[in-house]
C-alpha cells in the first residue's frame, strides 16, 4: 500500500502514529450512493420510535466506552482527555437522547389553518420528508462531536449519511464507524469516506449528493458553495468566528475571568465559538486584566494526563495552525501589543504543536489577532469607554458566530444581546451552546449559512412538502376557465369581500359573490 493510498493519523502532542487508514477509492462512490439510497428507502419507512431505538444503542455504546473514546479523540486531535470527555463524548450521548426523543414531534405532519375565508374549502398539511443521502465534511477541531451530532440529525430525519472526517483526525472517523455500527443500522445507510476533502466534495457533487453539510474555513466554504451552484445542491456551511466578549462595569469579575480563560484557551483556542476579542468597560479594565493574567499564568500546557501528569491545555492539531498562531502573535507584537501573561509548559513540549495560552493587551484593529480568526490560545483585551463602544467594536467584523455579555443586570444584558450581530449571544457564559442539542447553531455574515442542532437543524435535514385538497368536491375554482366578464366581476367582488372598505361594501360584495361562486364551482363547464 503506497503513501498516496493510505492516511496516517499522528498525535500532534507527541508525533507518535495513532492509526493508519486506507483512502476510499472514489471510483466506487456511484455504487456507494446507490447502496445508500436503497438502505435509505428502507430506513425512511421506519417510524421515529424505531429510529430512536437505534440511537439508544449508539448512546449506550458511547456511555460504556466513554474513556476509550476520550483517549482516541485526545490522541488524534491533541486536546486533553478532560476536554475530549466534556466537549466531545458527553455531547454525543446528549445528542442521541434529545434527537431520539424530539425528532418525531419536530418533524410530524402539521395541519395548517386556512389563511382566509375565500379558501375555506381548502385543507393544507405540511410534511417534512427526508432529503435522501446527505454528505458531511467535518473539521479536525471537534472531530467527534461536530459530525456525530449531524449524523444523528440526518438519521432521525430519515436520511442516509456519507461522512468525510478531517484528514488530520481519521482515527476519530474510525471510532465513529464503531459507534454507528453499535446502532445496528441497515447496511449502507452510513458510510465513512476517507480522503482529501476537496476531492470528496467534488465527487459528492458530481454523483448527486442531496445536501452537503460542511464545517471549516471561510475560503473552503466559499469554494464549496461555488461548486454546489453548478448543480444547485443545497449546502449548510459553518465557517468560523472571531468571537467578542463584552465585560460591563458591573460584571462579576471572578466569573468573567474564569469564563474568559475557559472560552479563550479551551481546545488550545481551536474553537469557532471561542473568545478571541474581549472588550472591557474602563472602570473594570485594570482589575479584569490583572485577574485574568494571574489565571493565565496558573494554566499548564503540555502532553499530560498520562503517568500522573495533568495539564489544562493540549496541543494545536496541525503544524499549519501553529504557524498561523505564531504569525498572529508576531504581527501583534510588531504593532505594539504586549504579552501580559502566558501559561506554563509541563513535560516535553518540544515534539508537539504546543503554544502557550497568551493574554494580550495594547491591541488595535490593525492586528491580525483582532481582525481575523486566530484559532489559537490567544485572547486580546481592549479597554472601551462604555457598552455602546463595545457593541460597535464587537459588530465590526465579517465573522458573526457567537458572542457574550457579562453583567449582573440580566435585563440590560438581554437588551444588549439583541444588538449583537451574531448567531448566538450568551450572558455570563461562552463556548457551550454547541453542546445544547435543543438550540440551533450557526452564524451570520461570513460565519456561514444554515443551522445545525435543535429543531432548526432537523428541518435542515428535510424537504418541506405541502399537501392540499378540497373539503367539498367542486367542478371548478373561481379563477378557472372559461374567462368572461362575469369571471372578472366575480374576482373583483372576491377582493372587496376579502378587504371591504366599510360594512356596506362588504355586504354588497358578498351578495354578488355568493351566487357566482356557487354557480362557478359546482356547475359543469358547458362546451359546445
Amino acid at each position: 500500500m503506497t503513501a498516496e493510498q493510505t492516511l496516517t493519523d499522528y498525535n500532534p502532542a507527541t508525533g507518535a502514529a495513532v492509526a493508519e487508514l486506507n483512502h476510499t477509492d472514489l471510483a466506487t462512490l456511484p455504487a456507494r450512493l446507490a447502496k445508500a439510497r436503497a438502505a435509505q428507502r428502507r430506513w425512511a419507512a421506519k417510524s421515529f420510535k424505531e429510529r430512536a431505538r437505534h440511537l439508544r444503542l449508539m448512546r449506550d455504546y458511547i456511555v460504556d466506552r466513554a474513556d476509550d473514546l476520550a483517549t482516541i479523540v485526545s490522541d488524534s486531535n491533541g486536546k486533553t482527555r478532560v476536554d475530549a470527555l466534556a466537549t466531545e463524548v458527553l455531547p454525543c450521548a446528549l445528542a442521541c437522547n434529545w434527537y431520539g426523543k424530539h425528532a418525531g414531534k419536530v418533524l410530524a405532519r402539521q395541519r395548517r389553518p386556512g389563511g382566509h375565508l375565500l379558501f375555506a374549502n381548502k385543507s393544507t398539511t405540511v410534511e417534512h420528508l427526508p432529503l435522501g443521502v446527505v454528505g458531511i465534511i467535518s473539521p479536525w477541531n471537534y472531530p467527534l462531536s461536530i459530525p456525530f451530532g449531524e449524523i444523528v440529525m440526518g438519521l432521525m430525519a430519515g436520511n442516509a449519511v456519507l461522512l468525510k472526517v478531517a484528514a488530520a483526525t481519521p482515527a476519530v472517523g474510525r471510532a465513529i464507524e464503531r459507534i454507528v455500527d453499535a446502532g445496528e443500522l441497515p447496511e449502507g445507510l452510513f458510510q465513512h469516506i476517507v480522503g482529501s476533502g476537496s476531492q470528496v466534495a467534488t465527487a459528492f457533487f458530481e454523483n448527486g449528493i442531496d445536501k452537503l453539510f460542511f464545517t471549516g474555513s471561510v475560503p473552503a466554504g466559499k469554494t464549496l458553495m461555488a461548486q454546489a451552484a453548478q448543480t444547485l445542491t443545497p449546502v449548510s456551511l459553518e465557517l468560523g468566528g472571531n468571537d467578542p466578549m463584552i465585560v460591563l462595569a458591573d460584571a462579576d469579575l471572578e466569573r468573567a475571568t474564569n469564563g474568559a480563560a475557559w472560552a479563550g484557551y479551551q481546545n488550545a483556542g481551536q474553537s469557532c465559538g471561542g473568545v478571541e476579542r474581549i472588550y472591557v468597560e474602563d472602570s473594570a479594565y485594570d482589575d479584569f486584566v490583572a485577574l485574568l493574567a494571574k489565571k493565565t499564568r496558573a494554566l499548564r500546557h503540555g502532553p499530560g494526563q498520562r503517568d500522573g501528569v495533568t495539564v489544562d491545555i493540549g496541543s494545536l492539531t496541525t503544524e499549519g495552525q501553529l504557524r498561523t498562531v505564531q504569525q498572529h502573535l508576531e504581527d501583534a507584537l510588531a504593532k505594539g501589543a504586549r504579552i501580559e501573561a502566558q501559561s506554563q509548559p509541563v513535560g516535553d513540549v518540544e515534539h508537539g504543536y504546543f503554544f502557550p495560552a497568551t493574554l494580550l493587551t495594547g491591541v488595535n484593529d490593525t492586528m491580525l489577532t483582532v481582525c481575523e480568526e486566530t484559532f489559537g490560545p490567544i485572547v486580546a483585551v481592549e479597554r472601551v469607554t462604555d457598552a455602546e463602544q463595545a457593541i460597535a467594536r464587537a459588530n465590526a467584523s465579517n465573522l458573526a458566530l457567537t458572542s457574550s455579555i457579562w453583567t449582573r443586570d440580566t435585563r440590560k444584558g438581554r437588551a444588549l444581546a439583541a444588538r449583537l450581530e451574531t448567531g448566538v449571544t450568551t450572558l455570563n457564559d461562552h463556548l457551550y451552546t454547541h453542546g445544547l442539542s435543543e438550540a440551533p447553531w450557526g452564524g451570520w455574515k461570513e460565519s456561514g449559512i444554515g443551522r445545525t442542532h435543535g429543531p432548526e437543524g432537523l428541518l435542515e435535514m428535510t424537504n418541506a412538502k405541502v399537501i392540499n385538497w378540497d373539503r367539498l368536491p367542486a367542478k371548478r375554482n373561481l379563477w378557472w376557465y372559461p374567462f368572461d366578464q362575469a369571471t372578472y366581476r366575480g374576482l373583483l367582488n372576491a377582493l372587496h369581500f376579502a378587504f371591504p372598505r366599510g360594512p356596506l361594501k362588504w355586504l354588497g360584495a358578498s351578495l354578488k359573490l355568493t351566487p357566482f361562486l356557487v354557480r362557478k364551482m359546482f356547475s359543469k363547464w358547458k362546451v359546445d
Side-chain angles (χ1 to χ4, degrees):
M1 189 72 69
T2 66
E4 289 75 19
Q5 296 172 303
T6 61
L7 186 62
T8 303
D9 193 336
Y10 294 97
N11 185 332
T14 65
V18 174
E20 186 175 88
L21 283 77
N22 295 335
H23 278 271
T24 301
D25 182 359
L26 295 182
T28 66
L29 198 58
R32 289 175 175 272
L33 272 165
K35 190 174 185 179
R37 293 195 187 283
Q40 187 271 329
R41 285 190 289 271
R42 298 194 301 274
W43 178 251
K46 291 180 178 289
S47 67
F48 290 107
K49 184 176 180 180
E50 290 174 312
R51 296 175 202 166
R53 182 184 69 81
H54 294 273
L55 261 64
R56 286 195 296 273
L57 294 174
M58 297 182 206
R59 182 198 64 195
D60 292 346
Y61 179 96
I62 292 167
V63 172
D64 291 343
R65 292 164 179 81
D67 189 60
D68 290 342
L69 290 169
T71 299
I72 291 169
V73 171
S74 177
D75 288 346
S76 183
N77 162 276
K79 67 181 64 181
T80 68
R81 290 172 69 228
V82 173
D83 264 359
L85 187 62
T87 67
E88 302 251 35
V89 179
L90 178 59
C92 289
L94 292 171
C96 290
N97 206 56
W98 195 87
Y99 293 109
K101 285 184 177 180
H102 297 283
K105 290 177 282 187
V106 173
L107 301 179
R109 178 186 294 114
Q110 298 175 352
R111 188 75 171 263
R112 289 290 172 88
H116 196 276
L117 187 58
L118 283 176
F119 292 100
N121 196 41
K122 297 292 185 182
S123 289
T124 300
T125 60
V126 179
E127 300 189 19
H128 296 284
L129 304 181
L131 294 165
V133 182
V134 298
I136 298 171
I137 298 181
S138 62
W140 43 256
N141 61 325
Y142 290 93
L144 178 61
S145 60
I146 287 179
F148 189 77
E150 294 173 353
I151 289 166
V152 296
M153 280 182 267
L155 292 175
M156 282 306 299
N159 298 295
V161 176
L162 269 57
L163 168 69
K164 211 297 289 187
V165 301
T169 54
V172 181
R174 180 179 285 172
I176 292 173
E177 286 185 52
R178 292 194 286 265
I179 295 171
V180 177
D181 283 347
E184 300 177 358
L185 302 178
E187 186 179 357
L189 188 69
F190 170 82
Q191 298 177 50
H192 176 211
I193 310 297
V194 181
S196 156
S198 60
Q199 291 176 3
V200 171
T202 298
F204 279 172
F205 290 134
E206 289 177 346
N207 289 280
I209 202 82
D210 292 299
K211 187 169 184 177
L212 179 66
F213 290 79
F214 172 77
T215 305
S217 70
V218 173
K222 289 181 177 180
T223 298
L224 290 175
M225 194 168 182
Q227 280 186 278
Q230 302 304 308
T231 52
L232 288 180
T233 304
V235 294
S236 175
L237 306 174
E238 196 269 272
L239 302 180
N242 186 11
D243 283 13
M245 171 178 174
I246 295 175
V247 182
L248 301 184
D250 71 337
D252 177 345
L253 296 188
E254 173 63 21
R255 181 175 178 85
T257 51
N258 290 340
W262 156 254
Y265 305 140
Q266 185 270 336
N267 196 27
Q270 299 170 122
S271 300
C272 301
V275 166
E276 299 212 358
R277 302 174 286 148
I278 305 179
Y279 301 104
V280 186
E281 280 196 301
D282 183 69
S283 61
Y285 177 86
D286 291 336
D287 290 342
F288 177 89
V289 169
L291 193 52
L292 182 55
K294 289 181 181 179
K295 292 173 179 176
T296 300
R297 284 189 288 268
L299 292 171
R300 301 150 296 175
H301 65 272
Q305 296 184 288
R306 285 166 180 78
D307 301 323
V309 178
T310 301
V311 297
D312 304 294
I313 302 168
S315 73
L316 285 94
T317 305
T318 70
E319 185 178 8
Q321 193 56 43
L322 177 60
R323 287 196 300 268
T324 297
V325 177
Q326 290 169 336
Q327 177 193 6
H328 280 210
L329 179 60
E330 291 165 4
D331 171 80
L333 296 177
K335 293 175 180 175
R338 297 182 302 278
I339 295 177
E340 292 287 342
Q342 290 185 308
S343 59
Q344 303 303 309
V346 174
D348 180 8
V349 297
E350 299 302 319
H351 294 90
Y353 303 140
F354 291 98
F355 193 92
T358 302
L359 174 63
L360 290 181
T361 58
V363 297
N364 60 63
D365 291 346
T366 70
M367 298 175 184
L368 295 176
T369 195
V370 175
C371 63
E372 295 184 8
E373 181 180 35
T374 298
F375 218 58
I378 297 177
V379 294
V381 186
E382 293 188 50
R383 186 193 304 265
V384 293
T385 56
D386 54 26
E388 291 302 315
Q389 186 183 27
I391 293 287
R393 300 292 287 278
N395 286 340
S397 175
N398 67 314
L399 297 173
L401 186 56
T402 82
S403 57
S404 61
I405 294 176
W406 302 71
T407 176
R408 286 184 169 92
D409 187 340
T410 302
R411 178 176 294 183
K412 179 181 179 181
R414 290 174 63 184
L416 291 173
R419 297 170 55 194
L420 283 170
E421 297 168 357
T422 55
V424 176
T425 299
T426 51
L427 300 185
N428 301 316
D429 211 330
H430 205 116
L431 188 59
Y432 71 97
T433 58
H434 188 272
L436 299 180
S437 298
E438 67 273 20
W441 175 262
W444 303 355
K445 302 180 185 179
E446 291 191 359
S447 283
I449 58 173
R451 292 292 183 272
T452 60
H453 296 195
E456 292 81 359
L458 283 167
L459 293 173
E460 292 263 5
M461 291 284 182
T462 66
N463 283 315
K465 182 179 182 65
V466 172
I467 298 178
N468 181 273
W469 68 94
D470 285 349
R471 300 174 190 272
L472 298 174
K475 305 297 183 184
R476 291 174 291 177
N477 285 327
L478 176 64
W479 51 90
W480 283 9
Y481 297 134
F483 288 167
D484 52 23
Q485 285 299 312
T487 302
Y488 186 86
R489 289 193 301 271
L491 289 169
L492 205 57
N493 284 321
L495 183 66
H496 291 305
F497 171 79
F499 306 102
R501 306 292 287 172
L504 292 179
K505 286 279 189 180
W506 177 83
L507 180 60
S510 61
L511 290 174
K512 295 174 184 176
L513 173 63
T514 302
F516 172 76
L517 187 64
V518 172
R519 186 168 61 252
K520 182 72 180 268
M521 291 182 63
F522 297 100
S523 66
K524 292 183 178 180
W525 177 5
K526 296 180 181 179
V527 181
D528 293 334

